[in-house]
Every structure is written in structure tokens, then in C-alpha cells.
Amino acid sequence: MTAPEAEVLRWMRETPDERDDERFLRLALAVFAHQFAHCEPYRRFCEGRGRTPDTIRSWTEIPAVPTGAFKELRLASFPEERTRHVFRTSGTATDRRGELHLESLEAYEASLVPSFERGMLPDLPDELPVRMLSMVPSPAEAPDSSLSHMLGVMHERRGDTESRFLVEDGELREQMTKDGLETSAKSDLPILLCGTAFAFVHLLDAMAASGQHLVLPPSARIMETGGFKGRARSMDRDALYAWITDRLGVPTERIVNQYGMTELASQFYDTVLSRPGEPRRKRIPPWVRVRMVDPERGNEVGRGEAGVIRILDLANIGSILAIQTADLGTTQGDGFEVLGRARGAEARGCSIAADEMLSAARP
């Protein structure tokens, strides 16, 4: 383990809420120097832009790699024979999928746990188990899915014995999901229902077909992730949240959007549970910086203006820490909001893949 990696881990484990700009800059420059030295494709990319560890003084100058590059190249800062885990972007058998190669899951998991706890469970005691119902495949069924892995870690950490993964053999177990929600509604434990946006669409379609309504207890919360465009239809976020409220009885202020991607080790959660009453926005972990940039010029846009989301994530220590997404967003206070895909970007993501998978499983 390198010295910067050890310090990043200490930060995540010991003071995960502490923002420290001096510490972030020092670690960002150290991690960049390490990746420049050990990832040849990235070194060539940086040299082509005249950026080297000797010329860079600010983390904003670190060249950001487009997420699409992860489909074309192995972007890792360690030898291939030391690869211990590979996460892959969603896609069909014929699609070329992006890959995140990891030498260790230590930084990945150290980052995901405090962000999940703060985003989804901030009002609950640490020792209280949660009934987690996750409409995704289990980590055993989808070992290269970063979403399944993330939820698997949290099932082990916070889930009670009745917590379940509800997609099996590519099919959402709709009846099992509805039964699980009905049973859980009678439990004293808080309920956390997780899934992609279009997994919720499929569940709500099934509930509508059977005329079913549930009123989950006030402690229930929902985590949805992925885009709002499926294989055959799109759904506006407000419309989906209103539908969830109607069928499950969970108010909008307890529905959290999670923003993440395979190429990143860290995730972002809406602030509705962690900072109730404040405007909804994505909260940024202390070891991450997010900027909105002009896609053509690369300069940062003004506050409140739309730009392409560029992320610098210290948890990406074994890969590339600076990533340029294909998503548009705006800065919102101390966080940001995602507006959708940038013009010309390919539709992708776990939600559309789940929609394809679950649609194929329907009779």
C-alpha cells in the first residue's frame, strides 16, 4: 500500500465528515503523480496536454479521462497480474463494456460505507438493523456489478436476516417483493427498498395491474438509482416519485436518488434524509471534488449554469482519479444536481440495462 493510499483510508475511516482542502490538494497531487508514473496510457494522455506532476499545482489542473476511455483501455495503476476484482459497466453481450480494474476493494468499500450511511440511514442508530429489500441481482449472481457489490456490503453491514436481493436469473421477483414489503410493513425495523428507476417502474406496473396499494411505515425509505430512460419508454423523475408515493405510501422527501458509476469508487446521495428541509442536492464526500465544465473549452462554468460533470475521486487510487462523465449537472449550494445525459452521449447505465433485462423476463 502506498503512503497516499494509507492516508486516504485513514481519512475515510477516522474523519469521514471532515472537509480539509489542504489535505485534499496534497493527496490529489500525490495520487496523480503515482498514476502518472504507473499508468502508461494515462501518462501519454497527460503529456499530450502538457500536464505532468512537475507542472501541476492545483487539483483542477489534473487531466480528466472521459468515462468512454474505460471501454477502450485498461486504466489501472498497477500490473495486470495483481488485478483482484473487475467491475464492468452495464450492457448487452454485444456491447463493449467499460471496466474498472481493482488491486484491492479496501478503498472502494471504505468510501462507500460512510456515504451510504450518511445518505440513507442518517437518522438511525448504528447498531439498529434494517430490512433491506434490493431489486438488483445479488453479488454472487452479478459479481462484476458495482451496484450489487455496494448493496452486498451494506446488506452484510446493516441488513437483518430477512433482507433480500430480489432479482434472480435476470427476473424481478415481483410477488416476492410485494410479499416482502407487506411483511416488512408489520415489522418494527426500518425498511429500505433499493433499486434502479426502472426496477421501480416494473414493480409499480405489477402493483397497478393487481390494484395493490401499500402504506409503508413512516421510517421506510427508498433508494433509486440509474437513469429515467428505459428500453421502450422514459419517465420523469417527479412522475416516478409521485407514483411511488401513491403505490407504496413513501413520501417524496424519503426517496433518495443515488448517483454513481462503475468508473468511480465513490457515490453521491440526495440530501433529503441527511439534511431534511433543505433543497435537494447531491452531497459530496470530503475526499471528492466535483466541477461543472464547458464540454468544448474545458473551463469551469458559473454557479448554477449547466456543464458536464467532472469528478476527482481520491478513492480511485488504483485507477484514474479524475473522470469526465457524459452527464450534465449544475452546482447547487455545497452539492450538485444531475440534469441528464450530455447531448450526443450514448444512453447507458444500470437502469436501462435493468429495464432491458426485466422486460425480456416478462411473458
Side-chain angles (χ1 to χ4, degrees):
M1 181 180 295
T2 64
E5 183 175 8
E7 185 170 350
V8 171
L9 284 169
R10 278 198 300 276
W11 191 352
M12 294 170 177
R13 289 169 175 163
E14 296 171 5
T15 54
D17 290 323
E18 182 178 284
R19 182 181 170 106
D20 185 333
D21 290 336
E22 185 279 330
R23 190 181 199 183
F24 181 87
L25 174 60
R26 176 166 47 80
L27 285 170
L29 296 179
V31 172
F32 170 64
H34 174 80
Q35 295 177 345
F36 184 90
H38 293 90
C39 181
E40 185 177 347
Y42 185 53
R43 181 169 64 249
R44 291 198 299 267
F45 178 80
C46 296
E47 288 174 339
R49 286 153 180 77
R51 305 286 178 85
T52 73
D54 292 332
T55 64
I56 284 181
R57 296 292 177 268
S58 167
W59 63 265
T60 62
E61 301 171 25
I62 296 174
V65 172
T67 50
F70 285 78
K71 290 185 175 182
E72 309 296 331
L73 297 164
R74 180 181 180 273
L75 293 170
S77 302
F78 55 88
E80 188 164 5
E81 61 270 20
R82 281 166 39 190
T83 301
R84 294 291 177 267
H85 202 93
V86 179
F87 290 127
R88 295 181 175 85
T89 57
S90 306
T92 66
T94 57
D95 289 338
R96 191 162 187 168
R97 301 167 66 186
E99 294 185 347
L100 178 67
H101 291 240
L102 297 172
E103 185 178 17
S104 163
L105 288 165
E106 197 169 4
Y108 193 94
E109 294 179 359
S111 176
L112 79 86
V113 169
S115 294
F116 189 98
E117 297 267 2
R118 189 168 46 233
M120 297 307 310
L121 313 171
D123 53 331
L124 302 178
D126 291 345
E127 66 277 7
L128 182 67
V130 177
R131 178 71 49 80
M132 292 185 66
L133 301 174
S134 296
M135 297 186 290
V136 302
S138 70
E141 183 166 331
D144 62 353
S145 164
S146 56
L147 178 60
S148 291
H149 182 83
M150 183 196 82
L151 290 172
V153 169
M154 295 312 303
H155 271 238
E156 278 195 25
R157 184 179 177 90
R158 295 300 300 269
D160 78 327
T161 56
E162 298 299 317
S163 294
R164 294 285 183 272
F165 287 91
L166 296 161
V167 172
E168 297 177 356
D169 301 323
E171 181 179 355
L172 175 63
R173 302 302 181 183
E174 293 171 351
Q175 192 59 51
M176 185 188 298
T177 305
K178 291 187 291 184
D179 291 347
L181 288 170
E182 284 189 317
T183 302
S184 300
K186 301 169 187 171
S187 165
D188 293 331
L189 294 180
I191 302 167
L192 170 55
L193 179 62
C194 304
T196 62
F198 266 83
F200 278 97
V201 170
H202 284 263
L203 172 65
L204 297 170
D205 272 342
M207 294 181 71
S210 61
Q212 186 177 20
H213 288 268
L214 290 173
V215 180
L216 297 180
S219 62
R221 71 238 18 234
I222 281 173
M223 187 201 90
E224 64 84 12
T225 187
F228 295 89
K229 181 177 175 59
R231 185 180 64 167
R233 58 174 161 162
S234 299
M235 174 155 285
D236 176 77
R237 185 176 73 174
D238 291 341
L240 176 62
Y241 286 12
W243 201 13
I244 290 172
T245 299
D246 177 55
R247 290 286 165 186
L248 296 174
V250 179
T252 298
E253 58 267 25
R254 298 192 69 79
I255 304 173
V256 176
N257 174 259
Q258 186 250 35
Y259 178 66
M261 60 192 71
T262 300
E263 298 86 349
L264 282 177
S266 296
Q267 300 84 35
F268 309 88
Y269 296 83
D270 283 350
T271 53
V272 289
L273 293 178
S274 60
R275 294 178 179 174
E278 297 185 11
R280 182 186 289 265
R281 60 196 184 280
K282 300 283 179 298
R283 191 168 178 176
I284 303 171
W287 47 88
V288 180
R289 296 293 182 271
V290 179
R291 304 166 67 213
M292 308 302 158
V293 301
D294 183 300
E296 295 183 359
R297 299 176 182 174
N299 58 297
E300 191 165 354
V301 302
R303 292 186 71 81
E305 295 180 19
V308 170
I309 300 173
R310 184 177 288 181
I311 299 171
L312 198 144
D313 182 2
L314 294 180
N316 264 33
I317 197 162
S319 177
I320 303 298
L321 78 166
I323 303 294
Q324 179 154 315
T325 75
D327 296 322
L328 289 176
T330 59
T331 302
Q332 300 287 337
D334 59 355
F336 68 100
E337 187 52 279
V338 181
L339 301 177
R341 300 290 284 171
R343 187 171 58 184
E346 62 178 330
R348 61 152 233 183
C350 50
S351 191
I352 194 170
D355 186 38
E356 291 173 348
M357 181 174 62
L358 298 176
S359 295
R362 281 180 176 246

